[in-house]
Amino acid sequence: MLGMNILAAAHADFYVGADLGLADSRTLDSIVSGRSNPTRCDVQMYSDATRPSGAIANDPACGIVDPQGKWNSRFDAGSGLAAGLHAGYVRDRFRFELEFMHVEPDSASYPIITASTHPGLASKDREWSETAPPYEWISDFRIRQYFANLFYDFALESRWTPYVGIGAGWARTKMQYKRRLLRKTVDEGYLEVAPDVPAAQRAYGWDEDSWLEWRESAAGTLSSMDTELSDTLFGFQLLAGVDYALTDQTFVGIKARWAQFDDFSDRAAYDQIRSHEPVHVDGVTPFVDRVKMDNIEYWAITVGFKRRF
């Protein structure tokens, strides 16, 4: 019996198995989008007595705006653990398999947000603190996939059974996402960023006192988030490997795979905006961005075993 391709036996069998190895993920490209109004429109930047309600109402930049792209980033998702369980059915040279895989790269990526890398923030580049520049983080990136696979085993007159396969299914993808945007303080020169009321704003009713008040209130403020992002993605994979028969029922082997998934998208809620409750300039609407990422894919090499019964 060991002198032939055991998994490609002429009758049907069931089997179970497990895999353990390493995965390497591709660099993730992200796009952040959402509503955005100038800081001067934020009603919480003013005291009740001096709030320039008329100027805010007249300034078209303070009205409702459609979500728009804010900036792009690239994150190194890294490499790390790949582990899985599978159960299958084999008949002749074909195998049908249900598989669970957990992929958890050792990811921790911290790109600095600057005008050169994030053109959407170019107008605010002089506002950010130079001692604690803006950052984005991702960490704890992980994929849990539930796939159905189809394999073809090549017949060899030996204990070795090479194979190729293809699979498709769904994956629950999660990551921890953080962002930190700290403005300069008054001592660091924040008031010099926009020292006078521009003529365009003066036409809408802004005066020197209200213009100074929002700048003083905004100086040194922090906008930040620390949230988990998740999405369920469709994906497919290509597989190839070889098994070695220890006995009629027990096999060990090595497997390579490449898996790719649809683009990732989730809402990212702030913890605070300009050091106050995370709401838009109207003081009511929750401040939420949308984070989209593509290039969700990885390579993995695993060793494993199968037990037929």
Side-chain angles (χ1 to χ4, degrees):
M1 185 69 172
L2 289 177
M4 61 177 292
N5 181 336
I6 298 177
L7 277 179
H11 58 281
D13 283 294
F14 292 93
Y15 65 91
V16 295
D19 296 292
L20 181 65
L22 296 174
D24 185 67
S25 295
R26 187 175 175 183
T27 298
L28 308 179
D29 292 324
S30 74
I31 300 175
V32 174
S33 61
R35 286 178 51 188
S36 182
N37 298 98
T39 303
R40 65 177 181 272
C41 304
D42 189 345
V43 297
Q44 299 194 52
M45 294 293 99
Y46 307 91
S47 63
D48 291 339
T50 60
R51 183 177 299 165
S53 300
I56 292 176
N58 294 330
D59 193 332
C62 299
I64 296 177
V65 296
D66 294 330
Q68 55 188 329
K70 293 183 176 180
W71 63 76
N72 302 335
S73 294
R74 303 198 78 194
F75 298 97
D76 182 5
S79 58
L81 174 71
L85 300 172
H86 53 263
Y89 172 84
V90 56
R91 186 173 185 86
D92 297 328
R93 296 184 185 180
F94 291 95
R95 287 186 285 126
F96 175 76
E97 182 179 281
L98 297 178
E99 176 190 58
F100 165 76
M101 281 292 294
H102 177 84
V103 178
E104 188 168 347
D106 186 19
S107 60
S109 188
Y110 317 101
I112 299 177
I113 301 173
T114 66
S116 61
T117 58
H118 301 74
L121 290 180
S123 64
K124 293 182 174 293
D125 197 42
R126 294 175 55 229
E127 297 185 22
W128 308 126
S129 169
E130 296 176 358
T131 57
Y135 274 87
E136 281 182 292
W137 291 259
I138 66 165
S139 60
D140 299 329
F141 178 56
R142 53 208 184 273
I143 299 172
R144 291 183 177 178
Q145 66 185 55
Y146 304 86
F147 272 28
N149 301 319
L150 178 65
F151 295 95
Y152 179 80
D153 295 325
F154 295 95
L156 297 180
E157 296 300 321
S158 73
R159 294 175 180 263
W160 296 96
T161 304
Y163 60 85
V164 293
I166 188 170
W170 300 92
R172 188 65 174 169
T173 306
K174 296 183 179 182
M175 68 187 73
Q176 196 69 22
Y177 180 82
K178 301 179 184 180
R179 188 184 304 160
R180 190 173 187 274
L181 304 165
L182 179 65
R183 279 186 163 93
K184 293 177 180 177
T185 64
V186 171
D187 292 340
E188 291 173 324
Y190 184 77
L191 297 186
E192 282 69 50
V193 173
D196 299 310
V197 184
Q201 273 70 52
R202 190 181 297 278
Y204 300 128
W206 297 97
D207 56 41
E208 292 291 347
D209 291 339
S210 60
W211 197 261
L212 176 62
E213 184 172 9
W214 74 256
R215 289 160 49 217
E216 290 179 335
S217 298
T221 57
L222 176 66
S223 297
S224 64
M225 64 170 62
D226 183 355
T227 186
E228 183 180 76
L229 304 181
S230 63
D231 197 6
T232 300
L233 312 176
F234 176 78
F236 70 94
Q237 61 183 359
L238 303 177
L239 308 103
V242 61
D243 286 329
Y244 179 80
L246 298 176
T247 69
D248 287 359
Q249 288 81 34
T250 304
F251 307 82
V252 295
I254 186 169
K255 181 188 300 179
R257 78 178 70 215
W258 170 72
Q260 185 180 59
F261 303 89
D262 287 342
D263 293 347
F264 178 100
S265 178
D266 197 14
R267 288 159 49 92
Y270 280 83
D271 298 320
Q272 57 183 326
I273 286 291
R274 306 181 191 99
S275 295
H276 64 63
E277 184 182 1
V279 291
H280 276 280
V281 295
D282 60 5
V284 177
T285 306
F287 206 114
V288 178
D289 283 342
R290 179 160 293 276
V291 179
K292 297 182 179 181
M293 295 192 183
D294 57 16
N295 296 331
I296 309 294
E297 61 182 79
Y298 70 87
W299 287 90
I301 299 291
T302 56
V303 296
F305 79 94
K306 296 182 180 73
R307 177 70 178 177
R308 195 180 64 172
F309 58 91

